[in-house]
Amino acid sequence: YGRAKTRLLMPRARLMTHLLNILRLCVCCGMLAACAGAPLAPKDIPPRPARETVSSFAINARAVIKQGGKANALRIMWEHTADTDNIGFASPLTGMIAELQRDRGGARWISAEGEHYEARTADLLIARLTSEPVPIAALARWITGQTSAGASEVVRDNQGRLLQALDKGWQIRVLSYETELPNAMPSVMEVESETLLIRLAFEEYVI
């Protein structure tokens, strides 16, 4: 990956900046685990729009990445729009890891040590964490309970919500939803390639 030649601006979105500042504060105070709040009770979750209209979100999630017999726990804070992604990664053991940014100009990886890398796509840069590319645009669809038009082996529940699918060479499994409503967002899910499994448990989900 090529090293960035100029200093990169941090994301300006207020919500993502707020979330990342909270994450950094927790890391600095050695309290990352304590920052993991319990998910909202179903009665406190606002009504969700029709799933197919969701094109942007902000999430706070716990993640486990399993690969080659090893498992690593992370915290992920991700703000997604049609044109941009800003994703913060932190470890409960070592603190802030990096921020991944995407826009129409390309993608940038900014490590906690100040290293800057650029690539054409975010899929390539996230391999600095996962050791293999991850389809970021597809992942953004999966975590809203959607798939691409070419998905196969699709299984849905009696409300029409996604339970399983094969999409872009990845197995998607939605293990639970935040409420029983038809437009509820996933609360726990797994995505798996031949060599990598990512499990996500969402604690905050803003649409």
Side-chain angles (χ1 to χ4, degrees), residues 142-176:
W142 300 337
I143 67 175
T144 62
Q146 302 179 80
T147 64
S148 69
S152 62
E153 302 178 21
V154 178
V155 178
R156 300 185 183 276
D157 66 11
N158 57 10
Q159 300 228 55
R161 304 181 303 188
L162 180 68
L163 293 178
Q164 298 179 36
L166 178 62
D167 197 5
K168 308 291 185 182
W170 289 68
Q171 291 283 347
I172 301 97
R173 294 182 290 271
V174 180
L175 305 181
S176 63

Side-chain angles (χ1 to χ4, degrees), residues 36-166:
L40 290 174
K43 66 181 179 62
D44 297 322
I45 295 172
R48 302 302 193 186
R51 194 179 310 282
E52 62 274 12
T53 69
V54 176
S55 60
S56 62
F57 57 75
I59 63 165
N60 175 8
R62 289 174 288 115
V64 176
I65 298 176
K66 297 182 179 180
Q67 189 175 47
K70 297 180 179 179
N72 294 307
L74 298 172
R75 178 155 294 277
I76 296 176
M77 293 188 179
W78 182 359
E79 183 187 61
H80 168 80
T81 72
D83 296 325
T84 63
D85 285 294
N86 293 298
I87 312 174
F89 303 94
S91 163
L93 297 178
T94 59
M96 199 71 185
I97 297 172
E99 294 178 36
L100 176 60
Q101 303 175 358
R102 175 194 68 87
D103 56 30
R104 291 183 177 182
R108 296 161 294 280
W109 178 272
I110 307 168
S111 75
E113 291 75 29
E115 296 178 322
H116 293 200
Y117 300 90
E118 293 183 344
R120 215 169 23 86
T121 70
D123 302 13
L124 297 174
L125 285 180
I126 200 172
R128 304 195 66 82
L129 179 71
T130 59
S131 300
E132 68 177 77
V134 175
I136 297 297
L139 183 59
R141 286 194 300 272
W142 300 337
I143 67 175
T144 62
Q146 302 179 80
T147 64
S148 69
S152 62
E153 302 178 21
V154 178
V155 178
R156 300 185 183 276
D157 66 11
N158 57 10
Q159 300 228 55
R161 304 181 303 188
L162 180 68
L163 293 178
Q164 298 179 36
L166 178 62

